[in-house]
Amino acid sequence: MSQRFSFEQEQDFMDKLRELLHSGTDPKQIELHMPYPPHGIEELMGEKESWVRFFSLGGAVTGFLTGLGFASFTALWWPLITGGKPILSLPPYLLIGYILTILFGALATFGGFLLLARMPSVKRMTGPEQFGNEFVIEVEGETP
Amino acid sequence: MNSLDYRNQIETDVLAAMGRPGLKYLAAMGFCALLVLGLLACWGYQIFTGLGVAGITHPVGWGVYITNFVFWVGIAHSGTLISAVLYLFRQPFRSSFNRAAEAMTVVSLLVAGLFPLIHLGRVWNFYYLFPYPNQRLLWVNFKSPLIWDVFAVSTYLTVSCIFFYVGLLPDLAIVRRRATGFTQKVFNILSLGWQGTLRQWKHYNKLYLFLAAFATPLVASVHSIVSWDFAVSIVPGWHTTIFAPYFVAGAIFSGIGMVLTLMIPLRKALKLEQYITLDHFDSICKILLFTSLIIGFTYAFEFALAFYSGHKSEISQYLYRATGHYWPFYAIMVFCNGIFPLVLFKKSLRRNLKFLFVLSIFVNIGMWFERFVIIVASLAKEYQPYSWGTYTPSWVEMGITAGSFGLFFLVYLAFIKALPVLSMTELKEPHQ
């Protein structure tokens, strides 16, 4: 059995949510649909911080090492002096590392988001349920 | 006010822009399409005949193609400034401009990306730019600023596309909800199953924040790297350490100019006066004024640097810019970029949209000529007097330049009808 509550106003939605949680409803039973995320909603629902940040960090570090490593590897592959500069010329290679930090970081952040938010969802893409501009609370199972 | 009616009204107003196109819109599309056809014809002629049909030759090997490249990359920067930097600084006025500015970034980078290919002449050899080992197992030279440029601009385009798409995601779901038939099916796929759940919002907010953080350094670094295409050489007028900040300020300045050129008519045509207010224009004009001050200061300062260096070629180059063959263009750039925008100190002019539109056209013209003067004048008068020479663009180069503006506005006009021009989700949030 599931219950659905729809609200036009953000304040009413937040009040009802507080009431449900206060009455002992498990946040795992609750599914929310919102036109925008009201301030403080994550704290209220006891959500832990998003893991997207680890994807960002991983992507950025990988990008930096790849850029620096790739530029150094290709220079050592065939050591050829150009412009009178050292074979391993750090400043330009750091620049490649910096650029790939941003590229890999952004791609990994986006990939991490898709993974964590479980998107794209074929089920929701083929037959999405519409909630309009209302704030909706769906409660699965019995409420105390 | 943040009632259900208000939220619905935002959707109705913004999505009205995506309705059936009117005659004026179609006429503008037709005119831009003609310019694009001109571009294709000129480029086709150049490919068929050879690069000799362009005016670039010894000693000026970089002409309007590279001018256009730098101009269009520069235009892109203000989009990222508005969408990423102002997001991190929590400036609410950005939500009126961010979508349109992000679209401008993506489109102008696509146009900019054409010019290195056009400039190559033998465009079928474009893959030489990519990092791969050639038949002698020799890789690209990572010490070359041109390779930095390939990495920087392609990264900028990729990150800008992701940022643009991510910003659109909740709005695509709104379009899906309001559309019917085939359009709904397309937006079903594009919105990836977005339903505004807590899980989606939680990860989305972090995604947007981190993407903004990744995009922010790009505002400074991409045009710095473009400037090093020049500054790393020893050509007089190019070999200066102030080029990176000078180019970045110029990029933001020109980009804000283009935002004004696009948004002032757009606001009126799409009846978005309620969402893009005079206060918003006032705020954005302060950025324009600030960057104009930096540019004006740089124009004076680079002269001082040349004279302070005591280097004859440097001094001669700057005197040549101001008094030589290209002095009218130099005068245009100083007036349009360094002098005329100073009138924005007056508040009433920052809120006068007709005036701002005219000013933005001057800014666009001034910034195009700035790049022309920097590139062409330096090459025309290098160290050896026997190799001095002048450059005049050929009709092929002018046709391709006009076509690039046609292509930019054509794709931008298509964007207006295909996607929401304002971020509806951000406008719904109470602090807006």
Side-chain angles (χ1 to χ4, degrees), chain B residues 145-279:
Chain B
L146 297 183
I147 292 298
W148 308 342
D149 222 10
V150 172
F151 273 74
V153 175
S154 49
T155 293
Y156 191 28
L157 178 63
T158 311
V159 174
S160 298
C161 286
I162 295 173
F163 200 41
F164 180 56
Y165 180 67
V166 166
L168 269 169
L169 207 50
D171 283 4
L172 293 174
I174 295 171
V175 182
R176 171 193 70 191
R177 170 158 53 80
R178 292 203 162 217
T180 52
F182 179 71
T183 313
Q184 190 179 44
K185 285 189 177 127
V186 171
F187 280 91
N188 261 338
I189 295 168
L190 287 177
S191 58
L192 304 178
W194 178 269
Q195 293 226 292
T197 62
L198 180 62
R199 173 192 289 276
Q200 289 176 339
W201 276 120
K202 180 176 100 167
H203 299 303
Y204 179 86
N205 286 339
K206 281 286 176 256
L207 166 70
Y208 201 81
L209 177 72
F210 288 132
L211 281 183
F214 279 122
T216 294
L218 287 176
V219 176
S221 68
V222 174
H223 227 49
S224 295
I225 290 171
V226 171
S227 83
W228 294 336
D229 288 344
F230 305 96
V232 171
S233 74
I234 55 165
V235 175
W238 288 2
H239 189 59
T240 165
T241 48
I242 60 164
F243 249 38
Y246 173 25
F247 267 51
V248 172
I252 293 166
F253 177 70
S254 66
I256 299 284
M258 189 59 89
V259 166
L260 290 174
T261 307
L262 292 168
M263 292 308 288
I264 292 170
L266 205 72
R267 172 184 186 261
K268 191 165 191 286
L270 304 180
K271 301 183 176 64
L272 296 172
E273 289 90 346
Q274 187 188 344
Y275 305 106
I276 311 172
T277 64
L278 290 181
D279 288 338

Side-chain angles (χ1 to χ4, degrees), chain A residues 8 36 50 78 98 129 133, chain B residues 2 7 136 195 203 428:
Chain A
E8 292 190 2
Y36 61 86
S50 169
W78 184 334
Y98 158 78
E129 202 176 347
N133 261 319
Chain B
N2 197 354
R7 294 196 293 269
R136 296 169 63 204
Q195 293 226 292
H203 299 303
K428 286 174 189 174

Side-chain angles (χ1 to χ4, degrees), chain B residues 245-246 248-254 256-257 284-300 333-345 359 363 367 370:
Chain B
Y246 173 25
V248 172
I252 293 166
F253 177 70
S254 66
I256 299 284
I284 208 162
C285 281
K286 286 175 187 165
I287 304 177
L288 190 78
L289 177 60
F290 177 63
T291 45
S292 169
L293 286 170
I294 297 175
I295 292 168
F297 173 73
T298 314
Y299 288 164
M333 84 176 212
V334 170
F335 175 74
C336 294
N337 306 334
I339 298 172
F340 189 31
L342 298 183
V343 297
L344 291 178
F345 273 113
L359 175 75
V363 168
M367 284 310 294
E370 183 201 279

Side-chain angles (χ1 to χ4, degrees), chain B residues 113-144:
Chain B
L114 274 181
F115 279 98
L117 305 181
I118 296 171
H119 181 79
L120 271 181
R122 297 179 188 182
V123 65
W124 51 92
N125 289 333
F126 74 96
Y127 61 91
Y128 281 18
L129 295 164
F130 296 148
Y132 72 99
N134 65 14
Q135 69 271 31
R136 296 169 63 204
L137 297 181
L138 188 63
W139 288 75
V140 291
N141 178 15
F142 281 106
K143 290 162 205 152
S144 161

